[in-house]
Amino acid sequence: MQPSDLTKIRTLSSPTVSADGRAVVYVVSRPDVDENRYRSSLWRLRLDAEGSPEGDPVRLTRGTRDSSPVHSPDGTLVAFLRAGEDGPPQLHVLPAGGGDARRLTEHKLGVSEPVWSPDGRRIAYAARVPEEGRYGTDDKVKPDQEAPRLIEHSRYLSDGLGYLLDRPSKIFVVDLGALPADDEPDADALPEPTQLTTGDGDDSGPVWLAQDRVGFVAARDGRGSWRPDTLVSDLCSVDLRGKGFQRHTDGTASVGGALVSTDGTVVYSAGDLGASGQDFVARNAVLRDLGRPEAPLTDAETDHLACAPALGAEGTLVAALEHRGDTLVRDVGTGHVLLDGHVSVSAVAVGGGVVAAVAGTRTSYSELFLGRVGGRLAPVTDLARHLTGTAVPLEPEELATEAADGYPVHGWLVRPTGRAPRKAGHPVVLMIHGGPYTQYSGNLFDEAQVLAGAGYAVVLGNPRGGSGYGATHGRAVKEAIGTVDVADLTALLDHALTLPGLDGSRVGVMGGSYGGLMTTWLVGHSDRFTAAISERAVNAWDSFAGTSDIGWFFGDEYVGAHAHEQSPLTWADSIRTPTLVIHSERDFRCPLEQGQRLYARLRRNGVPTKLLVFPGEGHELSRSGQPRHRVQRFEHILAWWAEHLA
């Protein structure tokens, strides 16, 4: 795979199955490097009575940025979000079979999370409400002329967004019954939305708990007042006048969202936060029935949700759960596994007895899988057909070994094509994931494919601290970063280097976020690596606590009182390995100063180093940054490895 092959990647998202199970609508997206933006549109696949495809998928919309489709309860309409070339997304509806879309909203900062009322007359959604005089609400006030922000709380910033407190997310409802008819003079007029929630703090995740009651997730006390600077969130609700506030959960957990079936069953996810109220480390959120919250529906030790679950009208609850680098889709009620094997599931949906899942595989970045409840899901799309020429996938070899203490270590090796150089073998790159509570997979991954395409053997795996192997595996690095995680990574690399065709004298290491931390740590404690790339890393916990959007709690739980000795920068004077530092200007998760401090220390010590800084990007550059920047990032990475490993 070449950097330019990013344009061949197609990804699916946001499946929605009609209530009768006869159609599924989903989003197909692609990066457009020439225009430096992503293009996305809605597609529709008709299904027969057995839930099998009837014909080929049909493109439903031709907007440049269409997303988040949701079928109406009767299946005749699809609500979705549409953004223009530069404007924010607004709520639209169109006939489920295709036709002209009608815009329903005009919010300055756009809308998100549309959800239909049970009778299909209304749509609830979330929208950020900007403070007057900010974010373009006054044409006479430019961004650098806005009034100063007086900060009084720890949580005031969010990566990928920016400042929060002066544009809180609120819940709105729009009534489709108020739309003028097509033949009326004001046929294009927008309906007036009703704002249901007000005040400080974010309200998100709207859900209809009843015909006249809208639920949402918020950090509020029992009387409805905002609770700042807490990880606790609850399922709350108001009536259609925005009155009659209720809090439905007990104010002790982190509630992630709720789902409602037609029989009134309400299922929500909730993460335990421990005695401190902020101990989130590797604590898997469990699914609970609001009517019986004392009996969790999933297991906190073994079940780590890979994405939001889905609840069918008939009460079928489907969850995608991480498992050893892959994902399995399970009917929570019966325990029946609908999909497993080498798949990485990113979305699930249920409707009319049909289950849909979006998943990457060994040979495709994203496909749609369908099946009946109680059966097995099978792929029904073929987006892999776009992966031609140099983009043809390289399949991995699975690795299994043990750390020095006997702990099992699991990972993969992605080799270049062709025979290895006869005398030495392929140079090797150890790649380390972020999180740390996430997982790498042996499924198709553009980072590994590009490196292998350039001639490097890529070793990647899931050391202790990662997800998919149980919560105990994930909590092993709590206040112990740089110990068992290093042992596992070292064991995995050592094992890979015993395999034929790899050159143990030319080994690089790279990673982003926590993977960047581990990269800096490894080269500060070992001289075995020929070169390194530390990207968007946490290098110093002291300044992270004062600059990161999660700094007010994250380090307290992961390193606690060991912030100094578990900061890679503490050991940076021992680094002699040539190191490329990559960061983004608008990274509020691991702020730019984390990379600048490392770069300055290496420069001072005479270590070969470069600092690559991307303007306008946040923490998610490598996954969802501007397409042109993603290509340029790959080009710089390959140039660094060519200089030091080739």
Side-chain angles (χ1 to χ4, degrees):
M1 184 177 179
Q2 306 297 308
S4 59
D5 286 329
L6 279 176
T7 59
K8 297 179 180 179
I9 295 177
R10 303 292 187 274
T11 54
L12 285 109
S13 62
S14 305
T16 173
V17 184
S18 60
D20 61 3
R22 300 303 296 268
V24 57
V25 174
Y26 53 90
V27 178
V28 177
S29 304
R30 65 177 178 86
D32 183 340
V33 174
D34 292 336
E35 296 295 326
N36 200 29
R37 62 180 69 244
Y38 293 90
R39 305 293 184 184
S40 59
S41 56
L42 308 189
W43 289 70
R44 184 174 189 253
L45 180 62
R46 290 188 56 81
L47 309 176
D48 63 21
E50 300 301 316
S52 299
E54 282 188 340
D56 295 327
V58 175
R59 187 171 178 176
L60 197 58
T61 66
R62 296 192 176 274
T64 57
R65 291 190 292 158
D66 295 341
S67 63
S68 305
V70 187
H71 272 106
S72 63
D74 64 4
T76 62
L77 297 173
V78 173
F80 69 102
L81 303 182
R82 168 170 288 175
E85 289 291 340
D86 297 304
Q90 302 294 344
L91 180 62
H92 291 66
V93 292
L94 84 163
D100 294 333
R102 179 161 187 173
R103 182 163 60 92
L104 301 181
T105 62
E106 186 56 57
H107 286 270
K108 194 71 177 179
L109 301 181
V111 308
S112 63
E113 304 179 290
V115 56
W116 290 89
S117 63
D119 63 4
R121 288 184 51 198
R122 300 177 178 89
I123 301 173
Y125 59 90
R128 292 198 171 274
V129 180
E131 182 180 296
E132 192 61 36
R134 300 193 190 278
Y135 306 109
T137 55
D138 187 339
D139 293 337
K140 298 178 181 178
V141 180
K142 298 178 181 178
D144 60 355
Q145 298 172 339
E146 292 179 359
R149 291 176 172 87
L150 182 62
I151 307 298
E152 299 180 83
H153 302 291
S154 296
R155 187 173 184 266
Y156 62 90
L157 201 63
S158 177
D159 184 68
L161 180 64
Y163 290 103
L164 291 172
L165 302 182
D166 52 15
R167 47 175 163 180
S169 173
K170 296 300 163 190
I171 306 301
F172 292 78
V173 166
V174 62
D175 189 340
L176 274 65
L179 289 174
D182 291 341
D183 57 355
E184 293 183 11
D186 58 349
D188 294 330
L190 300 180
E192 185 67 30
T194 300
Q195 183 174 340
L196 298 187
T197 64
T198 58
D200 296 326
D202 282 349
D203 305 324
S204 61
V207 60
W208 292 83
L209 298 181
Q211 193 67 54
D212 59 353
R213 195 155 196 87
V214 177
F216 57 94
V217 174
R220 298 202 189 191
D221 64 21
R223 296 179 297 177
S225 297
W226 176 48
R227 302 169 66 188
D229 301 335
T230 178
L231 299 185
V232 174
S233 56
D234 285 283
L235 176 62
C236 308
S237 71
V238 292
D239 62 26
L240 295 184
R241 302 168 300 158
K243 306 293 185 181
F245 173 85
Q246 293 182 31
R247 194 179 74 176
H248 301 276
T249 47
D250 64 6
T252 63
S254 175
V255 172
L259 303 164
V260 183
S261 67
T262 53
D263 67 0
T265 299
V266 179
V267 173
Y268 65 97
S269 66
D272 179 22
L273 295 170
S276 69
Q278 64 175 31
D279 182 6
F280 67 96
V281 176
R283 288 183 178 270
N284 292 329
V286 297
L287 300 180
R288 297 184 184 274
D289 184 329
L290 188 62
R292 296 181 296 111
E294 70 283 354
L297 306 176
T298 53
D299 186 85
E301 169 62 31
T302 60
D303 295 336
H304 182 223
L305 295 170
C307 59
L311 181 62
E314 68 284 2
T316 300
L317 177 62
V318 173
L321 305 166
E322 291 185 353
H323 180 67
R324 289 181 55 80
D326 289 310
T327 316
L328 58 87
V329 177
R330 191 171 76 208
D331 184 322
V332 174
T334 66
H336 177 72
V337 174
L338 296 93
L339 179 64
D340 56 5
H342 296 317
V343 291
S344 298
V345 178
S346 57
V348 290
V350 185
V354 173
V355 179
V358 172
T361 68
R362 290 286 199 260
T363 57
S364 179
Y365 290 98
S366 193
E367 301 291 354
L368 180 67
F369 289 72
L370 291 178
R372 300 289 300 180
V373 171
R376 295 281 294 179
L377 307 188
V380 296
T381 54
D382 183 24
L383 295 188
R385 70 183 185 277
H386 297 285
L387 303 178
T388 58
T390 52
V392 172
L394 303 174
E395 294 207 25
E397 303 170 31
E398 193 160 0
L399 304 176
T401 187
E402 290 184 352
D405 61 359
Y407 193 85
V409 185
H410 181 222
W412 299 268
L413 170 67
V414 183
R415 291 180 184 266
T417 56
R419 184 174 299 175
R422 291 176 61 185
K423 290 186 178 181
H426 295 296
V428 178
V429 175
L430 173 65
M431 186 177 290
I432 309 172
H433 67 59
Y437 199 55
T438 185
Q439 66 172 10
Y440 267 153
S441 170
N443 296 320
L444 203 53
F445 179 36
D446 61 345
E447 302 267 341
Q449 294 291 315
V450 167
L451 289 184
Y456 305 99
V458 182
V459 177
L460 64 165
N462 296 316
R464 276 169 278 188
S467 60
Y469 302 78
T472 300
H473 177 92
R475 288 179 70 83
V477 298
K478 181 175 168 61
E479 300 186 68
I481 284 176
T483 60
V484 294
D485 44 4
V486 170
D488 291 357
L489 289 167
T490 301
L492 188 67
L493 178 60
D494 288 343
H495 172 65
L497 292 176
T498 65
L499 303 177
L502 304 188
D503 183 358
S505 69
R506 291 184 296 163
V507 180
V509 58
M510 69 179 294
S513 196
Y514 166 80
L517 179 156
M518 275 286 98
T519 296
T520 312
W521 181 277
L522 287 171
V523 296
H525 289 78
S526 169
D527 60 0
R528 72 178 298 177
F529 296 100
T530 310
I533 299 177
S534 178
E535 183 172 14
R536 60 183 188 278
V538 179
N539 288 313
W541 290 108
D542 59 350
S543 57
F544 179 86
T547 57
S548 168
D549 65 341
I550 59 173
W552 56 281
F553 66 89
F554 193 90
D556 289 345
E557 296 302 326
Y558 261 109
V559 297
H562 310 288
H564 179 71
E565 57 265 40
Q566 292 181 16
S567 291
L569 202 66
T570 299
W571 314 99
D573 287 341
S574 298
I575 297 175
R576 296 294 178 265
T577 305
T579 301
L580 172 64
V581 181
I582 302 178
H583 233 101
S584 297
E585 286 184 351
R586 290 183 58 79
D587 188 338
F588 301 138
R589 182 62 40 85
C590 298
L592 178 58
E593 58 88 19
Q594 293 283 315
Q596 290 171 319
R597 292 181 69 184
L598 174 62
Y599 172 70
R601 183 75 65 84
L602 297 179
R603 287 280 296 175
R604 188 191 71 181
N605 293 341
V607 178
T609 184
K610 295 178 182 179
L611 174 63
L612 179 65
V613 180
F614 285 87
E617 299 288 1
H619 197 64
E620 299 300 310
L621 163 64
S622 64
R623 294 176 281 263
S624 58
Q626 298 172 49
R628 199 172 296 157
H629 279 164
R630 290 178 64 189
V631 171
Q632 291 166 342
R633 172 183 170 273
F634 273 140
E635 291 171 344
H636 280 278
I637 287 172
L638 293 182
W640 181 259
W641 292 136
E643 179 181 352
H644 295 281
L645 292 185

